[in-house]
Amino acid sequence: MAYRTAPDHAETGWPKGVPFIIGNEACERFSFYGMKAILFVYLTHLLASEGVTGALAEREATELLHTFNAGVYALPLVGALIADRWWGKYPTILWLSLLYCAGHACLALFEQDFHGFALGLILICMGAGGIKPCVSAHVGDQFGRGNWGKLERVYQLFYFTVNFGAVFSTLLIPWIKAHYGFSYAFALPGVLMAIATLAFWGGRNVFVHVPPTPGGKLGAADALAGALLFLVIALPMFGAGLMPWYAALPPIARLGVSALFLFAGLAVFQVRERAQPDDGFLSVLSYSLRARLHNETAPPVEGLAKFWWSAAHHFGREAAEGPPAVLRILSIFAMVSVFWALFDQNSSSWIAQAKEMDREFTVFGSSFTLLPEQIQAANPALVMALVPLTGALLYPGLGKLGLEMTPLRRMTAGMFLTSLAFVIVA
């Protein structure tokens, strides 16, 4: 069957593929946050079984958990390359979801085997990280000009669904761990991830499948070159935490491994450029560097710094504007990374802090005590409450008062509130 490669711009209703994507996302987020909710406690337990206890066990568990998080949030760089350049979004999500399922299976089966458990975490890194940049973009691919106005509402529902899965998994999975043990607690997220994959596969005939560019051998070369260059930085950052063989290498050998990946990545990139020149980020940047080193002069281009003039004349203005825009955005995201470094403590050191706190609550006359891991559910629960409140009441109300809440203003206000929250925690 030939899949549609572009949306129907005359369609004014909801795209038929949206329910499959929403169902997939709810189950996938349940699986990820459920597994992550008990990961710190499990790692502390595993280290204790090997004789590492107390504060040292918590420090090492924190290091391992954040190494895993680093992998999950770094690998979208590779997943985006594979999807955009080689496979397309739908195949990337589907095939990497199978790796994701295999990772959950390893966590459930290798409860007392660190190497098997580490393999499971690596597979989840590859699966979760690989599909992360594709799913929300795949949502946008389903909309044309006729129903574009519905897109914001769909993303609100999409984000609400993400947190819906997170709330219930963060409450349920620690309870299963406490009553039935870690194997069952890790197995249920795996079942939900399998359901997520089936739900996504079920929508294959109604999805818009935007093809990759350029695809084929050129796309494979792009993805391979990007993956090799990614490993130059990624291995020193978090390779030692998840790969014992890399951790055992002396520093000079680790440097040699990074140099090898750098050489290989640049070699693949050069072969690709000889086959057919590209106008992507790396091509424009490398061309501009060569022009600067050779003191090449080019006519001025209004709005562009002198460094990019030669590239603008060679690739065209639109292509040359991409790299400086990316570099400007990176200067903003460098600050956002500080937020995530602090926020992700809610799955590690804040759990350790919660053990020492009063966790007994009384609701409608009934008392109950939350497990330390269940405290994390407060964040997605508040998001579920605030998304409709801000979208339907707060922001429109402020707009009527003359204060238009643009995305940048919303982010700025959120950052100030977040800063205050971190001060309170400290």
Side-chain angles (χ1 to χ4, degrees):
M1 177 180 177
Y3 297 127
R4 287 188 301 143
T5 58
D8 180 1
H9 293 293
E11 174 65 53
T12 58
W14 297 101
K16 294 179 180 178
V18 167
F20 295 95
I21 299 174
I22 297 297
N24 164 268
E25 187 67 10
C27 294
E28 186 272 331
R29 289 291 85 185
F30 182 103
S31 75
F32 181 78
Y33 284 109
M35 174 276 303
K36 188 178 170 186
I38 60 172
L39 187 55
F40 174 77
V41 175
Y42 170 76
L43 291 172
T44 306
H45 162 79
L46 187 61
L47 289 165
S49 68
E50 297 182 357
V52 182
T53 58
L56 179 59
E58 290 185 352
R59 283 199 299 271
E60 292 194 11
T62 299
E63 180 180 345
L64 286 168
L65 187 142
H66 288 293
T67 299
F68 167 74
N69 281 346
V72 169
Y73 287 100
L75 280 167
L77 295 170
V78 179
L81 267 175
I82 293 173
D84 292 343
R85 293 285 182 147
W86 187 17
W87 286 354
K89 297 183 189 73
Y90 174 81
T92 301
I93 296 170
L94 184 65
W95 292 112
L96 291 183
S97 291
L98 295 177
L99 281 185
Y100 203 154
C101 293
H104 278 295
C106 287
L107 300 193
L109 294 173
F110 300 112
E111 179 187 347
Q112 298 299 330
D113 181 355
F114 177 80
H115 296 291
F117 195 85
L119 173 63
L121 292 180
I122 291 171
L123 291 174
I124 291 175
C125 276
M126 295 169 66
I131 69 176
K132 190 176 287 290
C134 306
V135 178
S136 57
H138 186 60
V139 175
D141 288 344
Q142 310 308 307
F143 288 80
R145 287 188 292 272
N147 53 11
W148 193 254
K150 297 179 180 294
L151 188 60
E152 183 177 354
R153 290 172 60 191
V154 165
Y155 275 120
Q156 288 178 347
L157 177 61
F158 183 82
Y159 193 46
F160 184 89
T161 303
V162 167
N163 289 280
F164 180 85
V167 166
F168 288 99
S169 64
T170 306
L171 293 173
L172 178 61
I173 299 302
W175 183 87
I176 293 176
K177 180 268 298 179
H179 289 80
Y180 298 101
F182 284 106
S183 289
Y184 285 98
F186 283 124
L188 182 58
V191 171
L192 267 293
M193 188 59 219
I195 294 173
T197 306
L198 285 172
F200 189 74
W201 178 78
R204 65 197 182 283
N205 294 328
V206 294
F207 287 149
V208 173
H209 298 249
V210 175
T213 304
K217 293 181 179 179
L218 289 176
D222 287 335
L224 178 59
L228 290 169
L229 293 173
F230 167 81
L231 287 171
V232 174
I233 300 174
L235 275 177
M237 285 180 63
F238 47 81
L242 293 177
M243 291 176 284
W245 66 267
Y246 185 82
L249 295 176
I252 189 66
R254 296 186 192 182
L255 185 62
V257 171
S258 292
L260 182 63
F261 280 122
L262 176 62
F263 175 79
L266 292 176
V268 172
F269 172 70
Q270 289 301 323
V271 170
R272 188 257 189 262
E273 286 291 281
R274 290 193 187 100
Q276 180 179 315
D278 185 37
D279 62 353
F281 177 89
L282 192 57
S283 299
V284 173
L285 180 60
S286 60
Y287 186 90
S288 299
L289 285 171
R290 288 196 301 270
R292 182 66 177 267
L293 291 173
H294 293 116
N295 292 318
E296 295 180 10
T297 57
V301 179
E302 185 179 356
L304 276 179
K306 184 177 181 180
F307 180 83
W308 306 104
W309 289 353
S310 296
H313 289 285
H314 182 78
F315 295 101
R317 182 186 178 97
E318 184 177 353
E321 287 176 338
V326 170
L327 294 174
R328 287 195 297 270
I329 291 172
L330 285 177
S331 66
I332 299 173
F333 283 168
M335 297 296 101
V336 177
S337 65
V338 177
F339 161 77
W340 286 111
L342 292 168
F343 177 82
D344 268 342
Q345 290 183 86
N346 69 2
S347 56
S348 58
S349 56
W350 289 4
I351 294 178
Q353 182 180 1
K355 293 178 182 178
E356 311 301 324
M357 298 172 68
D358 179 6
R359 304 186 306 277
E360 185 173 339
F361 294 85
T362 301
V363 179
F364 300 122
S366 299
S367 297
F368 60 93
T369 301
L370 287 177
L371 295 167
E373 309 97 293
Q374 292 176 316
I375 300 295
Q376 302 171 73
N379 172 65
L382 285 170
V383 172
M384 289 172 63
L386 290 172
V387 165
L389 178 65
T390 55
L393 296 176
L394 180 61
Y395 294 149
L398 290 173
K400 291 178 181 179
L401 294 175
L403 180 59
E404 185 66 29
M405 291 301 291
T406 63
L408 188 59
R409 286 176 177 171
R410 298 180 192 186
M411 291 173 64
T412 303
M415 284 297 179
F416 275 112
L417 290 173
T418 303
S419 300
L420 177 62
F422 287 136
V423 171
I424 293 171
V425 173

